[in-house]
Amino acid sequence: MTQAQAKPLEGLKLDGLELDVAIIGVGVGGLYALYAMRETLGLNVQAFDMASGVGGTWFWNRYPGCRVDTESTVYTYSFDLEMFQNWHWSERYARQSEVLDYMNAVADKHDLKRSINFNTKIERAAWDEAAKRWVLTTGKGETVRARYLIEAVGLLSSSYAPQFPDQEKFKGQVLVASKWPKDDPDLTGKRVAVVGTGSTGIQIITAIAAKVGHLHVLQRTPQWVVPLGIGPFPQDVRARIKQDPVAYRNWALNTGTVFGFVESTTSALAVSAEDRAARYEAAWAKGNGFSFMLETFADITVTAEANKTATDFIKSKLDAAVKDPKIAAMLTPTDYYARRPLAADGYYEVYNRPNVTLHDVKANKIERYTENGLVIGGQEIALDVVIMATGFDAVTGNYLKIETIGRGGAVLRDQWKDGPRTYGGMTMAGFPNFFMVFGPFSPFTSQPLVHEWQVNYFTDLIRAAETSGGIVDTDPAAVESWVKICQDGLAGTLFQVTDSWINGANIPGKPRTSMWYMGGMANYMVELNRIRDAGYAGFKIA
Ligand code: NA7
């Protein structure tokens, strides 16, 4: 890592600390929230993070091949216009180390680390009604009190890594992708198994296949994969951002998913077969999963018929790329193209390599570890390293890890037992002065610019509360109507019926439900601005 190591705050005694604002998490959302609270509002703020540095998901996910699959053009903050205009991204899809360097540069430029307590876990947050304060308890039992609490705990940062029986017997190494060691383990020549073929798994697989001795891919459910199109940062976009960064930011925010392209409004069924093939071919050549799914046609994730046109096309590419038809068949999904869209260059070609074996672990279960490896369908595979790329307890996971108690002793875990409940993805009823950055029922979009937008939105709310001396709470009826809008939105899509982390189906026992506003960022801003213009309807500043 090239960035300066973050030092914990020196001399700050946490126990008994009184703050205006406490922030949990200094990933993309929390770092900007810290800036907004301290620099824009001038409040007394401290942030807390379990990590020893800034970056959130980019701090922890250091696995081989880790990079954004959102264009770097929109994977950036815009609040510092000078940095937005001039930051040098070397690639169209920045590598993890580059994203982390960028976040450290932002934090250093704005001297944010002096307000961050690293290596500090917040285990409990309880509202003290008499004092009108949130009372936070750290992992060491210290107590910090704050008038406002902002949780920026990450959408995809609560690791999910199931343990297979007898793991303690295994003489090799078990690595969890989302908790990758800082001292990057050398996999050269090793016998490696990758469990999981989501975004993380396919990045690791394509990065290490040529390096390891033998790669065993343990696939439970095949997924549709398109190329990413790794290459240099596009100079035309750089010129556009440089010339008018505000216009570029506003353009990006006014799309559906804020991925740096405009979503199609054309049905896949409204064009001729030749036009359709040409559009898919161009999207394949360009790369990017979100672009392939959403920039080509409007209804791929909405109707089975449109979806099939996309999967037929990807299937034709898969069959052309994979030499062994049996392997090609194993790689072919049987469900809709309606999970989070995956993209990696040369993914299918990996399976032509003589040192790569694909295992179907749905048919042949991963049974247990032995000293030498894993037993799969009754057969032992000898291994040096097992990499768990098994995903996250997405969206709600990290909120529920903190024991959170609201007004009248309301327990967050009880309130969300059948699924989360929020207003605009930012607040909850009965949890006053509590704000989430990209909480459940936020728009289904890329992150940084949307985080900024939400933080700016509740910065205004906090300013209003500061001016009136009030407390910000949320009307339960407003929450219910927002949840209904979000549930209806997901119900109209194939995301609803396709198992994935998007609907909670990846975690055993998790309620399967919508966790998103599916109407797109442009509409989200219209809805939230309408609420603001109606005197913050649904929010209660009292
Ligand atoms: P994902 O997309 O949830 O993928 C997890 C993968 O792990 C997926 O292939 C799972 O198979 C597999 N998995 C999970 N549990 C098991 C067990 N017990 N045995 C075998 N295989 C298993 O997580 P990622 O980390 O790849 O990506 C998450 C997001 O992070 C990504 O979309 C980006 O936005 C960033 P399954 O499909 O459940 O059968």
Side-chain angles (χ1 to χ4, degrees), residues 57 61 63 69 155-156 160 162 164 177-178 195-202 218-223 290 339-342 361-362 366 388-392 394 499-501 505-506:
T57 199
N61 284 268
Y63 59 79
D69 66 357
L155 168 74
L156 290 153
Y160 171 66
F164 304 115
S178 52
V195 186
T197 50
S199 305
T200 304
I202 66 167
L218 277 46
Q219 171 191 268
R220 193 164 68 178
T221 312
Q223 291 217 54
F290 282 90
R339 293 170 161 218
R340 187 250 197 241
L342 304 191
V361 297
K362 194 170 265 170
I366 303 171
M388 300 298 287
T390 40
F392 299 89
D499 290 352
S500 80
W501 60 259
N506 67 321

Side-chain angles (χ1 to χ4, degrees), residues 271-285 296-297 313:
V271 300
S272 69
E274 293 73 33
D275 284 354
R276 196 161 51 228
R279 240 188 240 210
Y280 283 139
E281 203 64 67
W284 187 270
T296 47
F297 296 106
F313 181 86

Side-chain angles (χ1 to χ4, degrees), residues 19-23 33-34 37-38 42-47 115-116:
L19 300 169
D20 293 326
V21 188
I23 297 172
L34 171 55
M37 294 301 120
R38 204 182 73 186
L43 296 172
N44 173 22
V45 192
Q46 290 290 329
S115 304
I116 303 172

Side-chain angles (χ1 to χ4, degrees), residues 114-318:
R114 73 176 157 86
S115 304
I116 303 172
N117 301 267
F118 294 106
N119 305 304
T120 306
K121 184 177 182 187
I122 302 297
E123 292 192 333
R124 188 170 197 271
W127 174 251
D128 177 342
E129 186 68 45
K132 307 270 183 281
R133 296 278 187 285
W134 280 97
V135 183
L136 309 187
T137 311
T138 72
K140 291 184 187 151
E142 298 138 321
T143 298
V144 175
R145 294 148 63 86
R147 294 192 294 123
Y148 298 94
L149 174 59
I150 298 173
E151 290 199 6
V153 292
L155 168 74
L156 290 153
S157 55
S158 177
S159 285
Y160 171 66
Q163 282 216 347
F164 304 115
D166 298 340
Q167 186 172 317
E168 69 289 350
K169 290 187 183 155
F170 181 46
K171 295 252 166 68
Q173 243 185 326
V174 179
L175 300 170
V176 176
S178 52
K179 296 265 182 286
W180 199 258
K182 269 192 180 172
D183 297 329
D184 192 20
D186 185 8
L187 302 176
T188 312
K190 301 244 168 90
R191 299 163 301 176
V192 179
V194 174
V195 186
T197 50
S199 305
T200 304
I202 66 167
Q203 287 191 330
I204 295 172
I205 290 162
T206 47
I208 68 173
K211 180 180 190 180
V212 298
H214 201 96
L215 175 62
H216 296 271
V217 176
L218 277 46
Q219 171 191 268
R220 193 164 68 178
T221 312
Q223 291 217 54
W224 301 105
V225 181
V226 308
L228 181 57
I230 293 170
F233 191 89
Q235 290 308 314
D236 55 333
V237 185
R238 190 185 295 290
R240 230 176 117 190
I241 297 172
K242 183 115 187 146
Q243 196 195 2
D244 193 342
V246 173
Y248 184 82
R249 188 250 322 273
N250 292 343
W251 167 79
L253 281 173
N254 275 290
T255 62
T257 51
V258 197
F259 271 94
F261 59 79
V262 177
E263 290 76 10
S264 172
T265 53
T266 306
S267 165
L269 308 173
V271 300
S272 69
E274 293 73 33
D275 284 354
R276 196 161 51 228
R279 240 188 240 210
Y280 283 139
E281 203 64 67
W284 187 270
K286 175 186 164 196
N288 186 317
F290 282 90
S291 163
F292 191 89
M293 182 183 263
L294 301 168
E295 194 180 9
T296 47
F297 296 106
D299 48 358
I300 289 174
T301 61
V302 183
T303 71
E305 295 75 17
N307 199 267
K308 187 165 183 319
T309 66
T311 56
D312 283 352
F313 181 86
I314 303 174
K315 173 69 175 151
S316 70
K317 293 291 188 187
L318 189 171

